């Protein structure tokens, strides 16, 4: 009779162990599926942001070329051809943007408004491009100020608004994902504890089950270690640029988010000039290898002074460590500027691009969020690029 009770008790705990294992497996699978979906969404969002960045660069190029035509600088026909090429690039990257399905309704409204402004700009330029030479400089200036420049700047503003909405949405989704992650960890931890209790009780019921209990304990420990390694690996993927191995935009936001209101720090932003020409001439694989070599140079030579991030394709952000003084920061920034502008050899082809950069001596409370910090620094870089690039300027009064 006692033996029957023992056997019955063992069967109950065996069934309970199987149920716990099944729930753990289902929870883990759900977490992996949701995490994979979120990672894909983040990749789509990065593609979308890169496309908008390219559209804005081409809009700036159009604006610059229109001013050249109005001012009579260079060959007008060649400049008009450049404007047409810029609009072809804009069409290409708008198609890339529209192919991604990671849009909110508010974001699409801003994007469609920007697209309408581009259409209006294109229509006006088609009407005036062959007529600027026949009108007075004052009339050309009026047309540019009251129509062309307004359409161009309005399109850029709408694209910025769309990206800001997209980034806010990504942050919300990311927070939801982390909340789900914490819930799953809590559930799995609770189930593991219950499983351990069940194993202990099964051991008390029968001495003959000690060997089995030990085996299950080892399995549970192994599963816990594997899960921890998987967790660390997934977190690493989420905060790493897959191409260059440097930390990405999400890691930057995670690292300095709380510092924005509490402490000063030095931050620099670098953008390769005319990087698009590398991809256009040699292909994207060639351009990727170029970025990898630059990333390795920065990591090997400057990581002891700062944290280095690859926040977009050809844009690198440098956050200096607190012990680096302002004067040291300036010297290091110049060295980084020189390193990025060096010639790099890829497949026996030497490539050398100039660099535009901005430096920001950030003070607590200057900006409400990271996006505002980067917009200020990007604005400085855009100004540099509009004057030919290959320079560094400060965002504030840092000397």
């Amino acid at each position: 009779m006692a033996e029957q009770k023992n056997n019955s008790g063992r069967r109950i705990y065996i069934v309970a162990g199987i149920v716990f294992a099944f729930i753990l497996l289902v929870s883990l699978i759900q977490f992996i599926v949701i995490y994979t979906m979120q990672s894909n969404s983040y990749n789509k969002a990065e593609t979308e942001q890169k496309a908008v960045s390219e559209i804005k660069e081409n809009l700036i190029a159009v604006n610059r070329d229109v001013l050249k035509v109005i001012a009579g600088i260079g060959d007008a026909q060649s400049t008009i051809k450049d404007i047409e090429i810029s609009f072809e690039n804009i069409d290409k990257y708008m198609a890339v943007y529209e192919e991604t399905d990671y849009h909110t309704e508010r974001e699409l409204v801003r994007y469609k408004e920007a697209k309408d402004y581009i259409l209006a700009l294109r229509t006006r330029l088609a009407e005036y491009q062959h007529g600027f030479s026949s009108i007075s400089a004052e009339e050309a200036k009026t047309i540019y100020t009251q129509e062309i420049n307004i359409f161009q700047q309005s399109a850029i503003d709408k694209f910025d608004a769309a990206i800001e909405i997209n980034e806010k949405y990504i942050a919300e989704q990311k927070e939801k994902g982390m909340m789900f992650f914490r819930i799953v960890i809590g559930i799995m931890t609770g189930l593991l504890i219950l499983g351990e209790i069940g194993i202990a009780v099964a051991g008390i019921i029968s001495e003959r089950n000690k060997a089995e209990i030990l085996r299950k304990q080892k399995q549970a420990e192994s599963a816990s270690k594997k899960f921890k390694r998987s967790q660390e690996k997934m977190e690493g993927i989420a905060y790493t640029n897959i191409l260059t191995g440097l930390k990405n935009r999400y890691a930057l936001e995670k690292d300095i988010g709380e510092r924005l209101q509490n402490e000063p720090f030095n931050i620099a932003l670098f953008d390769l000039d005319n990087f698009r020409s590398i991809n256009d001439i040699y292909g994207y694989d060639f351009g990727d290898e170029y970025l990898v070599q630059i990333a390795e140079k920065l990591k090997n030579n400057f990581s002891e002074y700062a944290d280095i991030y690859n926040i977009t394709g050809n844009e690198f952000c440098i956050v200096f460590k607190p012990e680096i003084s302002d004067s040291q920061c300036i010297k290091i920034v110049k060295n980084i500027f020189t390193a990025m502008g060096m010639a790099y050899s890829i497949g026996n082809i030497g490539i050398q691009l100039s660099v535009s950069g901005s430096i920001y001596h950030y003070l607590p409370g200057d900006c409400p969020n990271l996006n505002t910090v980067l917009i200020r620094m990007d604005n400085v870089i855009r100004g540099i690029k509009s004057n030919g690039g290959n320079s560094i300027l400060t965002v504030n009064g840092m000397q």
Side-chain angles (χ1 to χ4, degrees), residues 208-313:
R208 289 176 296 179
N209 285 338
K210 286 183 178 179
E212 182 65 14
I213 292 173
L214 180 61
R215 184 180 69 83
K216 288 184 177 181
Q217 286 176 332
K218 290 181 178 180
Q219 288 179 343
E221 291 172 358
S222 177
S224 179
K225 290 178 181 178
K226 288 180 180 179
F227 176 77
K228 185 176 181 180
R229 288 196 296 270
S230 298
Q231 174 188 351
E232 293 172 350
K233 184 176 180 180
M234 286 185 287
E235 288 181 351
I237 293 173
Y239 294 110
T240 302
N241 184 293
I242 297 176
L243 174 64
T244 61
L246 296 175
K247 292 192 284 188
N248 61 17
R249 166 68 180 270
Y250 303 117
L252 175 61
E253 185 170 2
K254 174 176 175 289
D255 291 346
I256 72 169
E258 294 182 359
R259 298 175 64 187
L260 294 175
Q261 304 303 321
N262 300 321
E263 60 181 284
F265 57 90
N266 289 321
I267 181 171
L269 192 65
F270 294 91
D271 194 315
L272 293 166
D273 296 329
N274 301 314
F275 176 75
R276 186 176 69 254
S277 64
I278 298 296
N279 290 333
D280 292 342
I281 297 172
Y282 301 104
Y284 286 93
D285 289 342
F286 193 99
D288 288 347
E289 178 59 26
Y290 183 60
L291 292 176
V292 168
Q293 289 196 22
I294 289 177
E296 286 297 316
K297 174 72 72 174
L298 295 179
K299 184 166 53 178
N300 292 336
N301 294 348
F302 305 103
S303 58
E304 65 179 294
Y305 310 110
D307 293 319
I308 304 171
Y309 303 82
N310 184 193
I311 60 175
T312 63

Side-chain angles (χ1 to χ4, degrees), residues 64-120:
R64 182 183 62 245
D65 289 336
V66 169
L67 289 173
K68 287 171 63 178
V69 172
I70 292 175
I73 300 173
D75 179 64
Q77 293 302 318
S78 176
T79 304
I80 290 171
K81 182 61 178 177
D82 290 341
I83 292 173
E84 293 173 355
I85 292 173
S86 293
F87 275 119
E88 289 173 1
N89 290 334
I90 289 171
D91 291 339
K92 180 177 71 175
Y93 286 109
M94 284 198 300
V96 171
Y97 179 96
E98 292 170 4
E99 285 174 1
T100 61
D101 55 0
Y102 196 67
H103 308 296
T104 65
E105 291 183 4
R106 290 180 60 231
E107 179 188 353
L108 284 175
V109 169
R110 298 294 180 269
Y111 171 77
K112 289 176 181 178
E113 291 174 348
K115 190 173 182 180
D116 289 340
Y117 279 121
I118 291 175
L119 177 60

Side-chain angles (χ1 to χ4, degrees), residues 152-170:
Q152 184 256 5
Q153 189 58 50
S154 296
I156 289 177
D157 290 343
K158 294 301 180 182
F159 277 126
D160 286 339
I163 289 302
E164 184 175 354
I165 292 170
N166 177 265
E167 289 176 344
K168 184 178 294 184
Y169 179 72
I170 291 173

Side-chain angles (χ1 to χ4, degrees), residues 38 42 169-179 239 250-251 253-254:
Q38 286 188 338
Y42 296 154
Y169 179 72
I170 291 173
E172 293 173 354
Q173 294 302 108
K174 183 179 176 182
E175 180 58 29
K176 290 180 181 178
M178 292 304 296
M179 183 178 297
Y239 294 110
Y250 303 117
E253 185 170 2
K254 174 176 175 289

